[in-house]
Every structure is written in C-alpha cells, then in structure tokens.
Amino acid sequence: MKSAIFPAILLPALVSMTLFWASNSLLLDKANDNLSTSHIRDCALPVKIRLAFPYQSPSLEIVNFSEPYAFMVNGWLSTDICEKGTLVITGQGQIADGVAPILQIALDSRLIWKGAFREASTVMIPIKSKGHLTIGYFNDFYSSDYRSAVMEGVRLQSEGCQSFTVDTPVGTDGSWNIEKRTLGWLSPTPITLHPCGAGKLMFSISGKEGGKDFATIDISQGEKSLRKIRLSQQPQEVVISINAQPLKIRIINPYFKELGDRNLILRKVKFIPER
C-alpha cells in the first residue's frame, strides 16, 4: 500500500488510487528544464546523485545504506556528469496491471536509455559526454478495492451550544475537515465525536462500494447502539438524538483489497568515469 498517498482516498474527489502520469517524455523535459544554462556542475567523485522530484518526499524510501532508492511513486534523480563514463544501475521491479516499472535516462533533456525491470538485473549505460543526467521513473501504478464512508455537513443542535470535536486515530485512516464539516474513513477503528451537550446530530452520509457491497455504519453512545446505517452511493440525510456522551462511529463490515502496486527499487546507481 502506498502509505504516502493512502489518506487522500478518503474524500470522494480523491478516492481513485490509480496513479498514471500522462507523458513520460514531457516529464523528462520538465526535469531537465529546471537546470539553468548558468548551472555550475558539481564534478566531485564519486558522483553525487540527488533526489530531484518529489523533493524530500517519503514516497522515495531508503531501503538501506547500500540499496538507497525505492520509488513508490513517479519521480526522478539527477546528477551532473563532467566526463565520459558508464552508468551502472542494478534495479528490481514490482509488476502491476501486467506492466513492469520502466526507468528512463536522459542527458541534457535527450533520452539516451529506456528499459523495464521485471526482476533483479544490472544495466550498463554508456555516457558519451558531460551534462546533466536525469534518472526517471514515470509509469507508477496503484489500484485497490475498498469500502469507505463519508459524512458531510456534520452539525449539532443543542441548547446553549453547537460545538463538537472529532478524533480520528491513526488506525481509522480517517480525515476530518473542520471547515467543510466532512468526515471520511474506511477502517473498522472507531472515530469518536465529542458533543458539547445533548441534542440532535445531523449529517448526510454516503459510501463507496467495495467487494460488491457498501459499508454499514454503527453509531453508539456508551454500550447503546443509536443507529445502524447501510450506506449507498446516494447520500442519506440522518438526524439522531444524542446525549452529552462521546459517540463512537465505526464501519462494522470493512473491506480492503490491494489490486496492484507498481514500484521500482534501484539497488545500485554508480557512475564509473572513463580512464
């Protein structure tokens, strides 16, 4: 599962977990266009390979000190080459949707090598001149099937107060937007709503189908279940009389299945100068 992007699936506009970037060649151009003509090349050896995009992102994980680059999303590395030589790359791919991850190498925006990694293998790429080198992965893919729930327009009517707070523990994979009063989540871990007092809790609720069924929500206070709601794609308007105790809101029939996750691990990236 793509941990860096997983929380984003909780709202309707972000529920798709399939990640494709439209144009590989344009991305390579974009990567190299960031290099100004006045750029001073770092000619120190060994060559310093930098993460260029996504900059300081957890989506590129450190595997260990000797196997440093694990691309979990689209991205690229860059470095400056100041002489002829050979780029040695050992990579290993994780196939998804029947397609292997593809690595592209460009020198000053010109594609010089492109290849797929289906299993652990090493390639040796001749670098025939100095320049700005880009090592890019642009065909990332992720897909999953899951049930989720979204509560919108959550509000409280109570004598003397109308406020409440919402706790979404890490295990809920939940997201509470206080400005839009929208709550989205997909795991069975309960979400807790703390009302300021007794009154009526009102909201609209809908869900995404997963495993050929929709989620069923249980809303309880103390040991008492106040309402069970079987969701559908069509929003349902709900009004529940509550007391001042915290409410527990949970999905009682969660479902999640990963369908595909394409990643690329570069176990070694080394430039050997020509001597």
Side-chain angles (χ1 to χ4, degrees), residues 6 9-10 146-149 172-173 184-188 251 254-256:
F6 185 64
I9 66 179
L10 300 171
Y146 57 91
R147 293 177 194 143
S148 64
T172 63
D173 299 309
W185 78 106
L186 54 79
S187 87
I251 296 175
Y255 179 85
F256 179 89

Side-chain angles (χ1 to χ4, degrees), residues 41-229:
R41 302 191 189 281
D42 183 354
C43 292
L45 289 175
V47 166
K48 296 178 181 178
I49 298 172
R50 302 174 295 274
L51 173 61
F53 182 88
Y55 184 63
Q56 293 183 337
S57 169
S59 298
L60 190 146
E61 297 181 350
I62 300 300
V63 179
N64 61 44
F65 291 112
S66 62
E67 303 172 356
Y69 307 112
F71 284 103
M72 314 300 288
V73 297
N74 292 302
W76 62 80
L77 308 172
S78 68
T79 189
D80 294 318
I81 301 297
C82 297
E83 55 188 306
K84 296 179 181 180
T86 302
L87 185 66
V88 181
I89 296 179
T90 298
Q92 182 173 351
Q94 183 177 347
I95 298 172
D97 198 36
V99 179
I102 295 172
L103 189 67
Q104 299 187 50
I105 312 295
L107 185 65
D108 289 338
S109 298
R110 182 174 60 87
L111 185 66
I112 60 173
W113 187 88
K114 180 178 180 180
F117 285 87
R118 294 185 171 273
E119 55 189 23
S121 57
T122 298
V123 295
M124 303 182 70
I125 304 155
I127 307 299
K128 298 181 179 180
S129 65
K130 65 180 180 181
H132 185 69
L133 196 69
T134 303
I135 304 168
Y137 168 57
F138 304 120
N139 71 322
D140 190 58
F141 176 91
Y142 185 84
S143 181
S144 62
D145 184 24
Y146 57 91
R147 293 177 194 143
S148 64
V150 177
M151 295 172 62
E152 299 179 280
V154 185
R155 57 200 185 278
L156 174 67
Q157 279 189 355
S158 177
E159 277 192 36
C161 70
Q162 295 183 346
S163 64
F164 58 89
T165 59
V166 178
D167 291 337
T168 55
V170 173
T172 63
D173 299 309
S175 174
W176 165 244
N177 187 314
I178 191 170
E179 294 181 357
K180 296 184 178 180
R181 293 175 176 262
T182 298
L183 174 66
W185 78 106
L186 54 79
S187 87
T189 304
I191 288 170
T192 305
L193 187 147
H194 302 270
C196 62
K200 291 183 177 180
L201 183 68
M202 297 174 286
F203 54 86
S204 172
I205 190 167
S206 61
K208 175 192 174 298
E209 183 181 18
K212 299 182 180 180
D213 199 2
F214 286 88
T216 296
I217 305 301
D218 179 71
I219 301 175
S220 62
Q221 280 189 311
E223 300 298 320
K224 182 181 179 182
S225 176
L226 302 180
R227 187 77 59 89
K228 284 185 172 64
I229 309 167

